[in-house]
Amino acid sequence: MLPTIGSGNSDAGIGIQVIARLRPMSAKELKSDTLPVVSASTERNEVTIIKHANRKTFLFDRVFTGFSTQVDVFDQAIAPICKDVLRGIDSTIFAYGQTGTGKTHTMEGDLASEEGRGIIPRVASHILEHFQQDASYVKFGVSASYLEIYNEELTDLLAQDTAPDKKLQVCEETGKNGTKLISVPGLTQKPVENVAAMLDVMHQAQERRHVGETKMNKFSSRSHCMFTLLVSSERALRDGTVLKAAAKLHLVDLAGSECAKSAAGDVAAVSNAAAKAAKARESERANINKSLLTLGRIITILKECQTNGQPVPRLPFRDSKLTRLLANALGGNSKTCIIATLSPSKLAVEESMSTLKYAEAAVGIINKPMQSASLGVRLSKGLLGAQGEGDAEAKGTSQDWAEMECRLTYAHQQ
């Protein structure tokens, strides 16, 4: 049995990465002859919005415009997060914005087109290719789960058994160092060995996800979806040690925010069937907005407390299933990236301003990511001494903790 070193963390913490992505004008917006009132600059990482003749500029970590490609977004903002996951650091990426602004396009994209694929397929492909191309990995595994939150009910989008009485629940435990361990017992974990298998998983989930037509978007996502990759590996180092790492990467496509005024018209039904559908849309909208408002409250409280150096009070994570699942992403032990998606149209100026303020509030929030990695040391016969030559791997000996920390740092540098 090999001596190991467990999880480590950074006391300094690291800020949440906040990104803005402005899509081009849609065909519907161009047809209505509306004016663009939101502009963006990738060079200055800023977004400018004009509302009632007032101009306001917001600064973010990165900004992408309507000319930015899916490859640009991944290479510049997401690829570094993949490296963290491979090192054993839990990470979360989620997209927020008004319905119809490109959240699903950013997160999933066009699965049939290699160029049009979004963050989720690109992340999975990047991690799998990394393992397959590096011969130093003696063992690795990647599995995927896909969870939907619809009207505050959890659904396993990959489950074969869709019995109505199968209820999923969010469970929370306190781990070492006071960390929160969030899980959904019974959620399907599908092994993913190649890109084709990963695309099959995504196609299966897409067929089951709740979508519906609203005034703002013909194919609007009516639920929050969390795609999770569980990544584990064992890597042989040149000095004979084995570096083990494990991490989760949560990729979240939030349902679109939609104010009642903008969505008005859905309820103008002319038949019983239409009235029933409109009522369902209103119920969906209420649940979506409730969870997003809770998320916004948590972000605001965290920002105020951390900015003013005040202790953080008990946060309302339990007020929605979404925020319970994202508890580690906000002020917790995960590296987090928020992508705010925007429409340039004057028709959406109210929601665009709200999205920008929401994203701005998250700038500067500090998380304290923890690394889940272990270094197994195979000791030489000379070091074992009286323990016996034939029992080298079975017994081993403990090393000074500081030395083990140094070895782990050296291992990562290798």
Side-chain angles (χ1 to χ4, degrees):
M1 187 167 62
L2 304 178
T4 61
I5 175 174
S7 300
N9 73 311
S10 170
D11 292 333
I14 187 169
I16 289 177
Q17 180 182 196
V18 183
I19 297 168
R21 188 178 191 185
L22 178 67
R23 66 159 172 77
M25 294 280 281
S26 67
K28 181 179 178 181
E29 289 165 347
L30 291 171
K31 188 176 180 180
S32 66
D33 201 29
T34 184
L35 294 173
V37 294
V38 184
S39 60
S41 169
T42 54
E43 292 78 16
R44 297 187 297 273
N45 287 323
E46 66 180 30
V47 177
T48 301
I49 184 169
I50 300 173
K51 180 183 176 184
H52 305 316
N54 296 318
R55 179 189 298 265
K56 184 172 175 57
T57 298
F58 296 82
L59 298 176
F60 299 106
D61 296 304
R62 288 192 181 275
V63 171
F64 297 98
T65 70
F67 297 102
S68 302
T69 65
Q70 300 280 56
V71 175
D72 292 335
V73 175
F74 180 80
D75 288 348
Q76 296 177 36
I78 308 303
I81 298 175
C82 294
K83 292 182 181 179
D84 292 327
V85 173
L86 291 167
R87 291 176 54 216
I89 298 175
D90 287 351
S91 302
T92 302
I93 304 169
F94 67 86
Y96 171 85
Q98 180 187 21
T99 184
T101 54
K103 293 181 305 301
T104 301
H105 170 73
T106 296
M107 297 304 294
E108 295 185 0
D110 181 2
L111 300 184
S113 164
E114 188 169 341
E115 182 180 340
R117 289 174 187 168
I119 290 173
I120 295 176
R122 289 181 186 276
V123 162
S125 176
H126 182 87
I127 290 174
L128 286 166
E129 289 176 2
H130 176 82
F131 285 143
Q132 293 162 357
Q133 293 172 5
D134 191 336
S136 67
Y137 285 98
V138 295
K139 185 178 180 181
F140 66 85
V142 179
S143 61
S145 64
Y146 222 139
L147 181 68
E148 179 186 54
I149 309 172
Y150 176 70
N151 282 344
E152 285 300 293
E153 293 290 335
L154 301 182
T155 301
D156 186 348
L157 295 179
L158 301 182
Q160 298 298 323
D161 178 17
T162 56
D165 58 343
K166 184 181 179 181
K167 299 291 184 180
L168 296 175
Q169 299 292 334
V170 181
C171 293
E172 180 180 328
E173 298 178 43
T174 301
K176 295 178 181 179
N177 302 322
T179 58
K180 291 182 181 179
L181 302 177
I182 310 296
S183 64
V184 181
L187 185 63
T188 302
Q189 295 281 349
K190 282 202 171 185
V192 178
E193 298 179 352
N194 50 52
V195 176
M198 178 271 305
L199 291 175
D200 286 341
V201 166
M202 294 193 67
H203 281 302
Q204 179 182 337
Q206 285 181 339
E207 291 175 359
R208 296 185 179 184
R209 185 176 183 181
H210 286 84
V211 296
E213 182 174 357
T214 70
K215 185 179 178 182
M216 303 298 295
N217 185 9
K218 187 174 182 180
F219 300 102
S220 175
S221 300
R222 310 311 295 164
S223 62
H224 308 301
C225 278
M226 177 181 283
F227 179 89
T228 300
L229 286 176
L230 179 59
V231 181
S232 60
S233 64
E234 295 184 16
R235 187 180 182 189
L237 305 180
R238 282 174 284 182
D239 63 354
T241 58
V242 177
L243 180 64
K244 299 180 182 180
K248 290 182 179 180
L249 173 57
H250 301 295
L251 300 139
V252 187
D253 180 11
L254 297 178
S257 62
E258 201 171 88
C259 69
K261 182 178 179 181
S262 300
D266 293 350
V267 294
V270 295
S271 67
N272 289 337
K276 187 175 181 180
K279 187 176 181 180
R281 292 287 168 269
E282 192 61 36
S283 176
E284 292 167 352
R285 185 180 303 115
N287 280 297
I288 290 169
N289 287 343
K290 177 185 175 183
S291 59
L292 294 178
L293 285 170
T294 302
L295 186 60
R297 282 167 49 214
I298 291 170
I299 288 174
T300 300
I301 295 170
L302 270 174
K303 178 66 173 291
E304 289 178 353
C305 291
Q306 291 187 352
T307 300
N308 299 325
Q310 299 172 345
V312 178
R314 191 176 187 88
L315 297 170
F317 285 113
R318 291 181 173 271
D319 286 3
S320 77
K321 299 286 179 62
L322 173 67
T323 49
R324 287 194 71 186
L325 289 167
L326 292 178
N328 278 329
L330 300 168
N333 303 117
S334 168
K335 279 200 171 181
T336 301
C337 173
I338 299 175
I339 304 175
T341 57
L342 300 157
S343 162
S345 171
K346 183 179 180 180
L347 297 174
V349 67
E350 296 290 345
E351 282 291 317
S352 295
M353 180 64 81
S354 175
T355 298
L356 287 167
K357 289 180 178 179
Y358 189 104
E360 184 182 49
V363 174
I365 290 178
I366 302 299
N367 286 359
K368 292 189 176 181
M370 297 193 69
Q371 184 175 18
S372 179
S374 62
L375 184 66
V377 185
R378 295 183 181 276
L379 299 173
S380 67
K381 295 179 182 179
L383 289 175
L384 289 170
Q387 290 184 17
E389 295 183 357
D391 207 18
E393 290 190 13
K395 293 184 179 179
T397 181
S398 62
Q399 295 189 7
D400 180 76
W401 178 258
E403 181 182 346
M404 292 298 290
E405 286 278 9
C406 292
R407 290 181 62 81
L408 183 58
T409 302
Y410 167 72
H412 282 306
Q413 290 174 346
Q414 274 202 324

